Amino acid sequence: FVASAALDPARAEARANLGHVLVESGRFAEALREYDAALALRADLVPALRNSAIILAQQGRFAEARARFARVA
């Protein structure tokens, strides 16, 4: 996933996949940056919306989390 995002940083799905790998590694701040990058490229990308909302909620950023969860529905 890292190689995919590096080779094609303009591909939203690759950035979201890298975000997932970073979450699995416990690197939440970096994951959130990748999800944000993915959403900048494709604002309706559900995995990036959902996963970033979870991170935001875990950080206590509830208003931001709710706004992203609302975009999923």
Side-chain angles (χ1 to χ4, degrees):
F1 292 118
V2 174
S4 176
L7 290 174
D8 192 359
R11 188 167 173 249
E13 293 82 0
R15 303 300 293 261
N17 288 338
L18 178 54
H20 178 73
V21 170
L22 291 166
V23 165
E24 293 296 316
S25 300
R27 296 163 60 182
F28 301 106
E30 292 172 82
L32 187 55
R33 281 194 294 273
E34 289 301 324
Y35 290 135
D36 287 344
L39 292 169
L41 295 167
R42 193 171 139 206
D44 65 341
L45 189 60
V46 171
L49 284 167
R50 181 188 58 239
N51 294 337
S52 63
I54 291 168
I55 293 171
L56 290 166
Q58 289 171 338
Q59 293 177 343
R61 297 164 62 182
F62 300 114
E64 293 172 86
R66 273 193 296 275
R68 291 199 189 190
F69 277 127
R71 290 170 52 195
V72 171

